[in-house]
Amino acid sequence: AQSVTQLDSQVPVFEEAPVELRCNYSSSVSVYLFWYVQYPNQGLQLLLKYLSGSTLVESINGFEAEFNKSQTSFHLRKPSVHISDTAEYFCAVRPHNAGNMLTFGGGTRLMVKP
Amino acid sequence: KAGVTQTPRYLIKTRGQQVTLSCSPISGHRSVSWYQQTPGQGLQFLFEYFSETQRNKGNFPGRFSGRQFSNSRSEMNVSTLELGDSALYLCASSFGQGRLHSGANVLTFGAGSRLTVL
């Protein structure tokens, strides 16, 4: 079985400041890793994913995440946040051979203040 | 192309009733998964369908069921509703179920159906 822990339930930050949202996971098998974002009253949008290869993955809107196998972490970072980044962020894992059964963390609410 | 479409977006039911939610996947996608999102339990996997067959099932009681049609559209049903069934039900689709070498099998989520049980 897999488990995902997002260490911070809420992260307040001022606009243009850097931010890191932490994600640790536990799994006995190899997994794919994902970050999804959820805006109010909407579904989940894929932000970025780690499938294989380079451990640093980037999104088109400035977010990046680094897969650290030894620490079983997949932290999400952005060097300068905007008000529009205010949302809930979910880290998720999926075993390589388990269909589409994602295990999600509890979510981190990012609150960007002007 | 159109995304994952879920209907209805909002609905209110009373305890003991049943509800059916519908999901139309992205054109060409054959795998449909369902998730329940609640403030207390977070996001939990319900079940997954591929080629009209249930491939995986989460840890939910038998009151929760689903099916997939030949056109890949899916429905989920909850019978004998309880207050705790109030949640956002999310549907997601992907091309297939296999390994994610190219990203083609990464899930795309719909906007969800928000169920309130009174």
Side-chain angles (χ1 to χ4, degrees), chain B residues 1 27 37 41 44 56 59 91 115 118:
Chain B
K1 56 184 176 182
S27 178
Q37 185 178 22
Q41 300 299 316
Q44 295 185 287
N56 288 296
N59 188 25
C91 171
L115 169 66
L118 302 176

Side-chain angles (χ1 to χ4, degrees), chain B residues 9-73:
Chain B
R9 287 293 313 279
Y10 302 91
L11 67 166
I12 300 173
K13 294 285 187 179
T14 57
R15 279 182 299 174
Q17 288 187 310
Q18 75 164 9
V19 66
T20 299
L21 308 177
S22 178
C23 173
S24 293
I26 290 172
S27 178
H29 283 192
R30 295 163 60 199
S31 174
V32 173
S33 304
W34 290 88
Y35 289 79
Q36 181 197 62
Q37 185 178 22
T38 61
Q41 300 299 316
L43 282 153
Q44 295 185 287
F45 171 78
L46 279 158
F47 26 64
E48 176 186 12
Y49 288 87
F50 180 78
S51 293
E52 302 178 64
T53 302
Q54 188 178 89
R55 300 302 177 114
N56 288 296
K57 188 177 192 302
N59 188 25
F60 279 82
R63 299 186 297 108
F64 292 80
S65 64
R67 59 178 176 170
Q68 186 180 33
F69 302 94
S70 59
N71 61 358
S72 295
R73 191 177 69 84

Side-chain angles (χ1 to χ4, degrees), chain A residues 32 34 36 38 41-46 49 51-52 88 90 94 96-106, chain B residues 9-10 31 33 35 37 43 45 48 56 88 90 94 96-103 105-107 109-111:
Chain A
Y32 302 114
F34 307 88
Y36 282 89
Q38 186 175 38
N41 299 315
Q42 294 188 26
L44 300 172
Q45 299 177 29
L46 179 67
K49 60 186 181 292
L51 306 183
S52 64
E88 186 140 24
F90 293 93
R94 197 210 95 171
H96 286 188
N97 294 309
N100 279 320
M101 194 164 57
L102 294 175
T103 299
F104 285 91
Chain B
R9 287 293 313 279
Y10 302 91
S31 174
S33 304
Y35 289 79
Q37 185 178 22
L43 282 153
F45 171 78
E48 176 186 12
N56 288 296
L88 180 66
L90 293 164
S94 69
Q97 289 188 299
R99 297 177 74 90
L100 300 178
H101 296 304
S102 66
N105 293 332
V106 174
L107 288 178
F109 283 81

Side-chain angles (χ1 to χ4, degrees), chain A residues 40-61:
Chain A
N41 299 315
Q42 294 188 26
L44 300 172
Q45 299 177 29
L46 179 67
L47 189 59
L48 44 75
K49 60 186 181 292
Y50 173 76
L51 306 183
S52 64
S54 173
T55 57
L56 183 66
V57 290
E58 299 176 351
S59 72
I60 58 173
N61 57 355

Side-chain angles (χ1 to χ4, degrees), chain A residues 54-80:
Chain A
S54 173
T55 57
L56 183 66
V57 290
E58 299 176 351
S59 72
I60 58 173
N61 57 355
F63 283 95
E64 65 177 31
E66 186 157 21
F67 169 52
N68 188 319
K69 189 173 183 178
S70 62
Q71 297 186 5
T72 58
S73 67
F74 192 52
H75 301 331
L76 180 70
R77 294 187 288 263
K78 190 171 185 179
S80 176

